Amino acid sequence: MAPIATNPAATTNAAPPNLAQPLPRAPGPKLAAFMNKAYHADIEFIEELGGGRTAADSRVWKVNIDGSGPYALKLFYFVGSRYLRRDLAAPLNRPLPSDNDYFDYFDPFHCECRAYGRLKEAESENLAVRALGYLFLTADQEAQVSNEIEAYVNSDEIWERTDEHDGAPIRAIVKELVEGDPFQPEHVSVMWDDLERLHELGILVRDVRILNYINGKLIDFSRAWTAPTPAFEYIRKECLEEERRKDPEQLHGAIFDYGRDPCQDWDTNELMPDELWDCVGGSGTDKDPRN
């Protein structure tokens, strides 16, 4: 598999953003606001598509925005600084200078902003379902969508807001609405090619699984590491190699698991690209059953 690009060319403008400037604040790739308007978009919530209590980072809704659409709107939960340090940045072997650094590099919303920003920089948005920009919900919009979630009463509980997030709006990313199966046999070789290209662009996905694909394209980068990032600098070499191997291992597992579903009729062994077999077999975690 192609090596990860740990320091590709990237923007370095770290000026503090206003409400419509690209995010995150840290140097590197960024995602612009949807239609250059971070706040006060007119959002019609149609139906919830995914997420909920079983999802770690977000809920996804089908929406219309300012009379156009439909789009997929990914609404992110709030993340506490302790969880960022202890869990999401756990592989680091030294602390970062401030909570803002953890927030800019490891918060799931910012992880997606950075990954999609890199794809746009590299003119490679075809490697994933396309992101169109970020939005902040107003208080009224938060109340509206929270009221649609019948299992909860308290909006702060739904979105995991704590005292350290007091007054902060819900952050969201607007994406193209794509419907279909996670993937089909004709998608498998392209999925592997896409993953190799993502590594070449300095993006580790770190959460490659069946439900993170639609029609063979990734829809989720909320745990991704995108260069430049402390995750590629403040980590032991063997740990970084382990993280690097996880993406093909997880892709290999996702293809097998989905292909073995009784509803499918695939010869998964024949579908698997040879390079993916070699990559996973060479890691010592799996072997090519064709041999």
Side-chain angles (χ1 to χ4, degrees):
M1 187 173 188
I4 308 161
T6 58
N7 190 29
T11 58
T12 57
N13 180 11
N18 61 29
L19 292 180
Q21 284 185 320
L23 293 176
R25 294 177 174 86
K30 308 174 191 296
L31 184 66
F34 179 69
M35 301 298 288
N36 295 315
K37 183 167 65 173
Y39 265 117
H40 304 303
D42 181 10
I43 304 173
E44 176 192 0
F45 294 95
I46 301 171
E47 63 175 322
E48 189 164 23
L49 299 176
R53 216 45 187 173
T54 59
D57 303 315
S58 64
R59 309 181 81 104
V60 182
W61 281 72
K62 181 179 181 179
V63 300
N64 289 323
I65 303 176
D66 291 340
S68 65
Y71 303 104
L73 186 67
K74 185 170 183 177
L75 310 172
F76 288 81
Y77 298 133
F78 293 98
V79 179
S81 55
R82 182 181 179 188
Y83 179 62
L84 281 171
R85 288 175 177 269
R86 184 191 60 197
D87 294 273
L88 299 186
L92 300 189
N93 59 17
R94 69 181 74 174
L96 299 182
S98 71
D99 284 346
N100 283 339
D101 292 307
Y102 289 95
F103 188 61
D104 285 341
Y105 289 106
F106 296 99
D107 172 79
F109 168 72
H110 285 148
C111 286
E112 286 228 336
C113 288
R114 291 174 60 79
Y116 281 115
R118 170 55 39 75
L119 293 180
K120 188 171 184 65
E121 287 177 356
E123 299 182 349
S124 298
E125 293 176 276
N126 63 308
L127 299 180
V129 169
R130 190 171 173 229
L132 305 175
Y134 74 85
L135 288 176
F136 297 136
L137 267 60
T138 65
D140 287 344
Q141 289 165 344
E142 177 179 337
Q144 178 186 354
V145 72
S146 298
N147 288 338
E148 295 290 334
I149 303 170
E150 297 178 358
Y152 300 95
V153 176
N154 187 308
S155 182
D156 288 344
E157 179 184 353
I158 298 170
W159 304 107
E160 302 183 6
R161 185 188 276 110
T162 65
D163 290 344
E164 67 179 305
H165 310 117
D166 186 36
I170 291 175
R171 303 154 304 155
I173 292 179
V174 184
K175 301 184 183 183
E176 290 182 339
L177 180 64
V178 180
E179 297 177 303
D181 298 322
F183 45 86
Q184 288 298 315
E186 62 268 23
H187 298 138
V188 169
S189 62
V190 177
M191 291 161 64
W192 169 240
D193 290 343
D194 287 352
L195 189 59
E196 285 203 293
R197 178 61 178 148
L198 287 167
H199 279 212
E200 290 172 0
L201 293 176
I203 301 172
L204 278 185
V205 182
R206 303 185 65 251
D207 192 16
V208 178
R209 54 193 176 97
I210 294 169
L211 293 180
N212 284 346
Y213 281 92
I214 296 181
N215 291 338
K217 291 297 178 181
L218 278 162
I219 59 172
D220 192 311
F221 289 100
S222 61
R223 297 302 175 96
W225 290 348
T226 301
T229 170
F232 290 156
E233 298 176 24
Y234 303 152
I235 185 172
R236 295 195 307 275
K237 181 179 179 180
E238 60 270 24
C239 292
L240 182 58
E241 284 302 308
E242 181 181 354
E243 291 288 343
R244 177 181 180 269
R245 287 194 300 267
K246 285 179 182 177
D247 279 359
E249 288 170 1
Q250 290 176 352
L251 177 61
H252 175 272
I255 293 168
F256 260 106
D257 288 345
Y258 197 58
R260 283 196 293 253
D261 188 287
C263 295
Q264 312 299 334
D265 185 22
W266 301 3
D267 187 341
T268 312
N269 288 348
E270 292 302 321
L271 285 172
M272 201 76 67
D274 289 340
E275 288 186 0
L276 181 53
W277 278 120
D278 294 342
C279 183
V280 174
S283 73
T285 60
D286 205 340
K287 301 297 179 185
D288 184 344
R290 298 174 297 178
N291 296 330

